[in-house]
């Protein structure tokens, strides 16, 4: 179950809307329909956890729409579809950034599986982005000396090696290292290192 999740649909196929709504409702997912000519900024809202795009319309370039929807800043998760689609159309949709292509008509189980997977991938990506932003903010607040110690940790240096590099005492390195772990709220050395790398600190290795 994914209560509260919403799927936005770019299509004109009224029969398809009803089928998809019936398939997703038991999973707590609601569907909202947009005409293909809609402004994509209105479609790619934070409320949408997945967008279904029809790529088989003569007067609508669905593949181009997918490229726009998956690109930053929207970075949406897209499932493409078309009725009686050719292989080339599916390939083009996937190359444009759709995570799946489900032709119409198709069974409900495949649609449910594809969209639920897309929603989970989108949520995982957002969690990762939030974690990176938090890591960047936390590392940016570290004083220069503590950032140097974190860089030494990323390099895999011992406290003694870090002290030699920085021309300070081992005890001072230990103090800085403890402060880094505390300020980053890192439960382990590995987590502190991942946060430093996510924030853009790069190894020195001299």
């Amino acid at each position: 179950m994914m209560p509260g999740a919403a799927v936005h649909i770019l299509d004109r196929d009224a029969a398809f809307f009803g089928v998809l709504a019936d398939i997703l409702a038991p999973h707590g997912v609601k569907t909202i329909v947009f005409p293909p000519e809609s402004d994509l900024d209105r479609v790619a809202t934070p409320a949408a956890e997945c967008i279904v795009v029809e790529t088989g319309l003569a007067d609508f370039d669905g593949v181009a729409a997918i490229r726009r929807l998956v690109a930053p800043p929207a970075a949406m998760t897209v499932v493409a579809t078309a009725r009686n689609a050719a292989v080339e159309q599916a390939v083009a949709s996937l190359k444009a950034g759709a995570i799946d292509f489900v032709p119409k008509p198709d069974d409900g189980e495949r649609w449910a599986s594809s969209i639920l997977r897309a929603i989970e991938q989108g949520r995982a990506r957002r969690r990762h982005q939030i974690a990176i932003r938090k890591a960047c903010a936390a590392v940016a607040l570290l004083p220069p000396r503590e950032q140097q110690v974190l860089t030494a940790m990323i390099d895999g240096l011992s406290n003694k090696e870090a002290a030699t590099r920085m021309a300070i005492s081992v005890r001072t390195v230990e103090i800085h290292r403890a402060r880094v772990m505390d300020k980053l709220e890192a439960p382990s050395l590995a987590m502190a290192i991942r946060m430093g790398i996510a924030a853009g600190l790069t190894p020195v290795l001299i």
Side-chain angles (χ1 to χ4, degrees):
M1 290 290 292
M2 293 188 174
V7 173
H8 289 185
I9 306 169
L10 270 174
D11 200 352
R12 297 194 189 99
D13 189 341
F16 175 61
F17 305 156
V19 169
L20 205 54
D22 290 343
I23 291 169
L24 297 175
H27 300 278
V29 179
K30 65 179 180 180
T31 56
I32 301 174
V33 179
F34 294 82
E37 59 272 15
S38 299
D39 181 349
L40 293 182
D41 290 334
R42 289 183 56 242
V43 180
T45 66
E49 298 198 56
C50 172
I51 299 180
V52 176
V53 178
E54 165 65 69
T55 63
L57 301 175
D59 60 345
F60 172 64
D61 190 341
V63 172
I66 293 171
R67 291 195 190 98
R68 281 192 56 194
L69 290 167
V70 302
M76 302 303 298
T77 305
V78 174
V79 173
T81 189
R83 191 170 295 281
N84 303 318
V87 172
E88 294 79 5
Q89 194 170 11
V91 171
S93 299
L94 296 173
K95 284 184 176 180
I99 70 164
D100 197 5
F101 184 97
V102 184
K104 295 187 293 188
D106 207 319
D107 64 87
E109 183 176 343
R110 182 174 176 187
W111 268 111
S113 174
S114 179
I115 289 179
L116 294 177
R117 185 172 67 252
I119 291 172
E120 183 50 47
Q121 286 188 18
R123 290 182 175 182
R125 184 177 65 246
R126 284 190 290 276
R127 289 193 296 267
H128 180 65
Q129 291 168 342
I130 290 170
I132 289 177
R133 287 197 294 271
K134 287 183 176 179
C136 290
V139 172
L141 291 175
L142 296 176
R145 271 298 197 199
E146 291 174 10
Q147 289 193 18
Q148 288 177 325
V149 168
L150 180 53
T151 299
M153 293 160 64
I154 294 171
D155 284 343
L157 301 186
S158 66
N159 289 344
K160 184 177 181 180
E161 291 168 331
T164 300
R165 173 193 285 182
M166 298 172 64
I168 56 178
S169 71
V170 173
R171 179 54 183 160
T172 301
V173 170
E174 291 172 349
I175 292 171
H176 284 317
R177 182 165 171 161
R179 288 174 177 167
V180 167
M181 299 293 289
D182 182 59
K183 290 178 180 178
L184 296 184
E185 299 181 356
S188 65
L189 172 62
M191 178 60 73
I193 289 173
R194 285 198 293 270
M195 292 177 71
I197 293 172
L201 295 184
T202 55
V204 177
L205 295 178
I206 57 175

PDB file of all heavy atoms in Angstrom, residues 1 9 12 15 33 37 51 53 55 75 77-78 81 88 98 114 122 124 127 142 159 164 174-175 185 190 192 195 203:
ATOM      1  N   MET A   1       0.827  -1.209   0.000  1.00  0.00           N
ATOM      2  CA  MET A   1       0.000   0.000   0.000  1.00  0.00           C
ATOM      3  C   MET A   1       0.860   1.258   0.000  1.00  0.00           C
ATOM      4  O   MET A   1       1.886   1.306   0.664  1.00  0.00           O
ATOM      5  CB  MET A   1      -0.891   0.012   1.239  1.00  0.00           C
ATOM      6  CG  MET A   1      -1.988  -1.023   1.221  1.00  0.00           C
ATOM      7  SD  MET A   1      -3.282  -0.656   0.004  1.00  0.00           S
ATOM      8  CE  MET A   1      -4.022   0.802   0.735  1.00  0.00           C
ATOM      9  N   ILE A   9      -1.239  11.634 -15.244  1.00  0.00           N
ATOM     10  CA  ILE A   9      -1.310  10.955 -16.543  1.00  0.00           C
ATOM     11  C   ILE A   9      -1.431  11.982 -17.653  1.00  0.00           C
ATOM     12  O   ILE A   9      -2.334  12.828 -17.643  1.00  0.00           O
ATOM     13  CB  ILE A   9      -2.534  10.011 -16.597  1.00  0.00           C
ATOM     14  CG1 ILE A   9      -2.511   9.045 -15.398  1.00  0.00           C
ATOM     15  CG2 ILE A   9      -2.556   9.241 -17.904  1.00  0.00           C
ATOM     16  CD1 ILE A   9      -3.807   8.263 -15.241  1.00  0.00           C
ATOM     17  N   ARG A  12      -5.126  11.223 -23.552  1.00  0.00           N
ATOM     18  CA  ARG A  12      -6.520  11.573 -23.838  1.00  0.00           C
ATOM     19  C   ARG A  12      -7.415  10.350 -23.812  1.00  0.00           C
ATOM     20  O   ARG A  12      -8.594  10.441 -24.127  1.00  0.00           O
ATOM     21  CB  ARG A  12      -6.633  12.224 -25.234  1.00  0.00           C
ATOM     22  CG  ARG A  12      -5.896  13.531 -25.391  1.00  0.00           C
ATOM     23  CD  ARG A  12      -6.344  14.240 -26.666  1.00  0.00           C
ATOM     24  NE  ARG A  12      -5.501  15.385 -26.950  1.00  0.00           N
ATOM     25  CZ  ARG A  12      -4.503  15.361 -27.827  1.00  0.00           C
ATOM     26  NH1 ARG A  12      -4.239  14.258 -28.505  1.00  0.00           N
ATOM     27  NH2 ARG A  12      -3.780  16.445 -28.030  1.00  0.00           N
ATOM     28  N   ALA A  15     -10.858   5.722 -21.546  1.00  0.00           N
ATOM     29  CA  ALA A  15     -11.008   4.336 -21.090  1.00  0.00           C
ATOM     30  C   ALA A  15      -9.800   3.910 -20.265  1.00  0.00           C
ATOM     31  O   ALA A  15      -9.921   3.238 -19.239  1.00  0.00           O
ATOM     32  CB  ALA A  15     -11.193   3.416 -22.289  1.00  0.00           C
ATOM     33  N   VAL A  33      -5.570  13.296 -14.240  1.00  0.00           N
ATOM     34  CA  VAL A  33      -5.376  13.326 -15.690  1.00  0.00           C
ATOM     35  C   VAL A  33      -5.087  14.737 -16.181  1.00  0.00           C
ATOM     36  O   VAL A  33      -5.714  15.705 -15.737  1.00  0.00           O
ATOM     37  CB  VAL A  33      -6.625  12.779 -16.399  1.00  0.00           C
ATOM     38  CG1 VAL A  33      -6.446  12.826 -17.907  1.00  0.00           C
ATOM     39  CG2 VAL A  33      -6.917  11.359 -15.930  1.00  0.00           C
ATOM     40  N   GLU A  37      -1.475  18.579 -24.090  1.00  0.00           N
ATOM     41  CA  GLU A  37      -1.035  19.945 -24.379  1.00  0.00           C
ATOM     42  C   GLU A  37      -0.823  20.776 -23.109  1.00  0.00           C
ATOM     43  O   GLU A  37      -0.490  21.968 -23.178  1.00  0.00           O
ATOM     44  CB  GLU A  37      -2.046  20.649 -25.284  1.00  0.00           C
ATOM     45  CG  GLU A  37      -3.459  20.757 -24.725  1.00  0.00           C
ATOM     46  CD  GLU A  37      -4.317  19.555 -25.052  1.00  0.00           C
ATOM     47  OE1 GLU A  37      -3.762  18.503 -25.473  1.00  0.00           O
ATOM     48  OE2 GLU A  37      -5.545  19.657 -24.890  1.00  0.00           O
ATOM     49  N   ILE A  51       4.705   9.902 -13.278  1.00  0.00           N
ATOM     50  CA  ILE A  51       3.945  10.455 -14.405  1.00  0.00           C
ATOM     51  C   ILE A  51       3.887   9.413 -15.513  1.00  0.00           C
ATOM     52  O   ILE A  51       4.923   8.861 -15.908  1.00  0.00           O
ATOM     53  CB  ILE A  51       4.572  11.760 -14.924  1.00  0.00           C
ATOM     54  CG1 ILE A  51       4.568  12.818 -13.809  1.00  0.00           C
ATOM     55  CG2 ILE A  51       3.810  12.277 -16.150  1.00  0.00           C
ATOM     56  CD1 ILE A  51       5.177  14.139 -14.217  1.00  0.00           C
ATOM     57  N   VAL A  53       3.137   8.818 -19.380  1.00  0.00           N
ATOM     58  CA  VAL A  53       3.132   9.632 -20.600  1.00  0.00           C
ATOM     59  C   VAL A  53       2.786   8.771 -21.807  1.00  0.00           C
ATOM     60  O   VAL A  53       3.463   7.768 -22.083  1.00  0.00           O
ATOM     61  CB  VAL A  53       4.511  10.308 -20.818  1.00  0.00           C
ATOM     62  CG1 VAL A  53       4.496  11.120 -22.119  1.00  0.00           C
ATOM     63  CG2 VAL A  53       4.856  11.208 -19.638  1.00  0.00           C
ATOM     64  N   THR A  55       2.996   8.116 -25.560  1.00  0.00           N
ATOM     65  CA  THR A  55       3.981   8.515 -26.577  1.00  0.00           C
ATOM     66  C   THR A  55       3.517   8.214 -27.999  1.00  0.00           C
ATOM     67  O   THR A  55       4.282   8.403 -28.944  1.00  0.00           O
ATOM     68  CB  THR A  55       5.322   7.801 -26.333  1.00  0.00           C
ATOM     69  OG1 THR A  55       5.140   6.381 -26.476  1.00  0.00           O
ATOM     70  CG2 THR A  55       5.865   8.112 -24.954  1.00  0.00           C
ATOM     71  N   ALA A  75      12.996  16.405 -12.468  1.00  0.00           N
ATOM     72  CA  ALA A  75      13.537  15.080 -12.139  1.00  0.00           C
ATOM     73  C   ALA A  75      12.429  14.095 -11.744  1.00  0.00           C
ATOM     74  O   ALA A  75      12.498  13.427 -10.718  1.00  0.00           O
ATOM     75  CB  ALA A  75      14.579  15.196 -11.025  1.00  0.00           C
ATOM     76  N   THR A  77       9.797  10.797 -12.074  1.00  0.00           N
ATOM     77  CA  THR A  77       9.857   9.384 -12.431  1.00  0.00           C
ATOM     78  C   THR A  77       8.731   9.121 -13.426  1.00  0.00           C
ATOM     79  O   THR A  77       7.567   9.405 -13.139  1.00  0.00           O
ATOM     80  CB  THR A  77       9.677   8.501 -11.190  1.00  0.00           C
ATOM     81  OG1 THR A  77      10.646   8.868 -10.211  1.00  0.00           O
ATOM     82  CG2 THR A  77       9.861   7.041 -11.542  1.00  0.00           C
ATOM     83  N   VAL A  78       9.086   8.592 -14.607  1.00  0.00           N
ATOM     84  CA  VAL A  78       8.122   8.475 -15.710  1.00  0.00           C
ATOM     85  C   VAL A  78       7.983   7.028 -16.171  1.00  0.00           C
ATOM     86  O   VAL A  78       8.972   6.305 -16.312  1.00  0.00           O
ATOM     87  CB  VAL A  78       8.568   9.357 -16.904  1.00  0.00           C
ATOM     88  CG1 VAL A  78       7.644   9.132 -18.109  1.00  0.00           C
ATOM     89  CG2 VAL A  78       8.583  10.826 -16.507  1.00  0.00           C
ATOM     90  N   THR A  81       3.869   4.873 -22.188  1.00  0.00           N
ATOM     91  CA  THR A  81       2.907   3.921 -22.730  1.00  0.00           C
ATOM     92  C   THR A  81       2.508   4.351 -24.130  1.00  0.00           C
ATOM     93  O   THR A  81       2.773   5.486 -24.559  1.00  0.00           O
ATOM     94  CB  THR A  81       1.651   3.819 -21.838  1.00  0.00           C
ATOM     95  OG1 THR A  81       0.847   2.727 -22.305  1.00  0.00           O
ATOM     96  CG2 THR A  81       0.830   5.112 -21.868  1.00  0.00           C
ATOM     97  N   GLU A  88      10.596   0.258 -31.538  1.00  0.00           N
ATOM     98  CA  GLU A  88      11.396   1.480 -31.616  1.00  0.00           C
ATOM     99  C   GLU A  88      10.855   2.566 -30.694  1.00  0.00           C
ATOM    100  O   GLU A  88      11.611   3.347 -30.111  1.00  0.00           O
ATOM    101  CB  GLU A  88      11.434   2.000 -33.056  1.00  0.00           C
ATOM    102  CG  GLU A  88      12.159   1.101 -34.047  1.00  0.00           C
ATOM    103  CD  GLU A  88      11.306  -0.081 -34.516  1.00  0.00           C
ATOM    104  OE1 GLU A  88      10.116  -0.144 -34.133  1.00  0.00           O
ATOM    105  OE2 GLU A  88      11.849  -0.934 -35.256  1.00  0.00           O
ATOM    106  N   ALA A  98      12.433   7.313 -19.379  1.00  0.00           N
ATOM    107  CA  ALA A  98      11.364   6.570 -18.708  1.00  0.00           C
ATOM    108  C   ALA A  98      11.953   5.333 -18.041  1.00  0.00           C
ATOM    109  O   ALA A  98      12.870   4.710 -18.581  1.00  0.00           O
ATOM    110  CB  ALA A  98      10.293   6.162 -19.713  1.00  0.00           C
ATOM    111  N   SER A 114       4.578  -1.876 -12.378  1.00  0.00           N
ATOM    112  CA  SER A 114       5.421  -0.831 -12.957  1.00  0.00           C
ATOM    113  C   SER A 114       5.282   0.491 -12.209  1.00  0.00           C
ATOM    114  O   SER A 114       6.274   1.140 -11.860  1.00  0.00           O
ATOM    115  CB  SER A 114       5.073  -0.637 -14.436  1.00  0.00           C
ATOM    116  OG  SER A 114       5.880   0.387 -14.994  1.00  0.00           O
ATOM    117  N   GLY A 122      11.159   6.738  -7.028  1.00  0.00           N
ATOM    118  CA  GLY A 122      11.110   8.184  -6.845  1.00  0.00           C
ATOM    119  C   GLY A 122      11.291   8.561  -5.391  1.00  0.00           C
ATOM    120  O   GLY A 122      12.020   9.511  -5.068  1.00  0.00           O
ATOM    121  N   ALA A 124      12.840   6.782  -3.097  1.00  0.00           N
ATOM    122  CA  ALA A 124      14.225   6.484  -2.708  1.00  0.00           C
ATOM    123  C   ALA A 124      15.161   7.581  -3.195  1.00  0.00           C
ATOM    124  O   ALA A 124      16.087   7.989  -2.478  1.00  0.00           O
ATOM    125  CB  ALA A 124      14.646   5.129  -3.286  1.00  0.00           C
ATOM    126  N   ARG A 127      14.738  10.585  -0.947  1.00  0.00           N
ATOM    127  CA  ARG A 127      15.410  10.370   0.343  1.00  0.00           C
ATOM    128  C   ARG A 127      16.911  10.579   0.208  1.00  0.00           C
ATOM    129  O   ARG A 127      17.562  11.172   1.079  1.00  0.00           O
ATOM    130  CB  ARG A 127      15.114   8.962   0.873  1.00  0.00           C
ATOM    131  CG  ARG A 127      13.682   8.758   1.357  1.00  0.00           C
ATOM    132  CD  ARG A 127      13.552   7.474   2.156  1.00  0.00           C
ATOM    133  NE  ARG A 127      13.818   6.300   1.345  1.00  0.00           N
ATOM    134  CZ  ARG A 127      12.870   5.597   0.712  1.00  0.00           C
ATOM    135  NH1 ARG A 127      11.611   5.977   0.779  1.00  0.00           N
ATOM    136  NH2 ARG A 127      13.182   4.524   0.016  1.00  0.00           N
ATOM    137  N   LEU A 142      31.402  22.852   9.475  1.00  0.00           N
ATOM    138  CA  LEU A 142      32.633  22.474  10.166  1.00  0.00           C
ATOM    139  C   LEU A 142      33.710  23.544   9.943  1.00  0.00           C
ATOM    140  O   LEU A 142      33.874  24.032   8.829  1.00  0.00           O
ATOM    141  CB  LEU A 142      33.155  21.132   9.652  1.00  0.00           C
ATOM    142  CG  LEU A 142      32.292  19.893   9.884  1.00  0.00           C
ATOM    143  CD1 LEU A 142      32.935  18.685   9.230  1.00  0.00           C
ATOM    144  CD2 LEU A 142      32.070  19.639  11.368  1.00  0.00           C
ATOM    145  N   ASN A 159      45.315   8.627  12.839  1.00  0.00           N
ATOM    146  CA  ASN A 159      45.458   9.896  13.551  1.00  0.00           C
ATOM    147  C   ASN A 159      46.888  10.408  13.480  1.00  0.00           C
ATOM    148  O   ASN A 159      47.127  11.618  13.330  1.00  0.00           O
ATOM    149  CB  ASN A 159      45.024   9.738  15.012  1.00  0.00           C
ATOM    150  CG  ASN A 159      43.522   9.557  15.146  1.00  0.00           C
ATOM    151  OD1 ASN A 159      42.764   9.840  14.220  1.00  0.00           O
ATOM    152  ND2 ASN A 159      43.089   9.076  16.298  1.00  0.00           N
ATOM    153  N   THR A 164      50.745  14.315  11.170  1.00  0.00           N
ATOM    154  CA  THR A 164      51.947  14.654  10.399  1.00  0.00           C
ATOM    155  C   THR A 164      51.585  15.544   9.219  1.00  0.00           C
ATOM    156  O   THR A 164      52.257  16.549   8.952  1.00  0.00           O
ATOM    157  CB  THR A 164      52.639  13.374   9.905  1.00  0.00           C
ATOM    158  OG1 THR A 164      53.012  12.581  11.033  1.00  0.00           O
ATOM    159  CG2 THR A 164      53.854  13.706   9.070  1.00  0.00           C
ATOM    160  N   GLU A 174      42.768  13.861  17.423  1.00  0.00           N
ATOM    161  CA  GLU A 174      41.734  13.071  18.093  1.00  0.00           C
ATOM    162  C   GLU A 174      40.568  13.948  18.540  1.00  0.00           C
ATOM    163  O   GLU A 174      39.403  13.567  18.401  1.00  0.00           O
ATOM    164  CB  GLU A 174      42.348  12.349  19.297  1.00  0.00           C
ATOM    165  CG  GLU A 174      43.332  11.242  18.912  1.00  0.00           C
ATOM    166  CD  GLU A 174      44.060  10.673  20.123  1.00  0.00           C
ATOM    167  OE1 GLU A 174      43.951  11.290  21.217  1.00  0.00           O
ATOM    168  OE2 GLU A 174      44.722   9.637  19.983  1.00  0.00           O
ATOM    169  N   ILE A 175      40.896  15.129  19.047  1.00  0.00           N
ATOM    170  CA  ILE A 175      39.852  16.058  19.500  1.00  0.00           C
ATOM    171  C   ILE A 175      39.014  16.530  18.315  1.00  0.00           C
ATOM    172  O   ILE A 175      37.773  16.530  18.367  1.00  0.00           O
ATOM    173  CB  ILE A 175      40.477  17.254  20.241  1.00  0.00           C
ATOM    174  CG1 ILE A 175      41.099  16.788  21.559  1.00  0.00           C
ATOM    175  CG2 ILE A 175      39.427  18.342  20.491  1.00  0.00           C
ATOM    176  CD1 ILE A 175      41.927  17.852  22.253  1.00  0.00           C
ATOM    177  N   GLU A 185      26.768  14.027  13.532  1.00  0.00           N
ATOM    178  CA  GLU A 185      25.859  13.020  14.090  1.00  0.00           C
ATOM    179  C   GLU A 185      26.036  11.695  13.357  1.00  0.00           C
ATOM    180  O   GLU A 185      25.066  10.990  13.047  1.00  0.00           O
ATOM    181  CB  GLU A 185      24.408  13.495  14.024  1.00  0.00           C
ATOM    182  CG  GLU A 185      24.153  14.770  14.819  1.00  0.00           C
ATOM    183  CD  GLU A 185      22.705  15.231  14.762  1.00  0.00           C
ATOM    184  OE1 GLU A 185      21.907  14.599  14.038  1.00  0.00           O
ATOM    185  OE2 GLU A 185      22.364  16.221  15.421  1.00  0.00           O
ATOM    186  N   ALA A 190      32.427   5.122   8.723  1.00  0.00           N
ATOM    187  CA  ALA A 190      31.977   4.975   7.338  1.00  0.00           C
ATOM    188  C   ALA A 190      30.925   6.018   6.986  1.00  0.00           C
ATOM    189  O   ALA A 190      30.943   6.590   5.890  1.00  0.00           O
ATOM    190  CB  ALA A 190      31.427   3.573   7.113  1.00  0.00           C
ATOM    191  N   ALA A 192      30.523   9.019   8.405  1.00  0.00           N
ATOM    192  CA  ALA A 192      31.183  10.328   8.328  1.00  0.00           C
ATOM    193  C   ALA A 192      31.887  10.494   6.989  1.00  0.00           C
ATOM    194  O   ALA A 192      31.826  11.567   6.364  1.00  0.00           O
ATOM    195  CB  ALA A 192      32.172  10.484   9.478  1.00  0.00           C
ATOM    196  N   MET A 195      29.351  11.088   4.258  1.00  0.00           N
ATOM    197  CA  MET A 195      28.839  12.460   4.333  1.00  0.00           C
ATOM    198  C   MET A 195      29.850  13.452   3.768  1.00  0.00           C
ATOM    199  O   MET A 195      29.490  14.384   3.045  1.00  0.00           O
ATOM    200  CB  MET A 195      28.482  12.818   5.772  1.00  0.00           C
ATOM    201  CG  MET A 195      27.291  12.054   6.323  1.00  0.00           C
ATOM    202  SD  MET A 195      26.930  12.425   8.058  1.00  0.00           S
ATOM    203  CE  MET A 195      26.284  14.117   7.909  1.00  0.00           C
ATOM    204  N   PRO A 203      39.674  13.350  -1.738  1.00  0.00           N
ATOM    205  CA  PRO A 203      40.922  12.892  -1.148  1.00  0.00           C
ATOM    206  C   PRO A 203      42.115  13.742  -1.576  1.00  0.00           C
ATOM    207  O   PRO A 203      42.150  14.275  -2.672  1.00  0.00           O
ATOM    208  CB  PRO A 203      41.049  11.459  -1.674  1.00  0.00           C
ATOM    209  CG  PRO A 203      39.665  11.070  -2.057  1.00  0.00           C
ATOM    210  CD  PRO A 203      39.013  12.328  -2.540  1.00  0.00           C
TER     211      PRO A 203
END
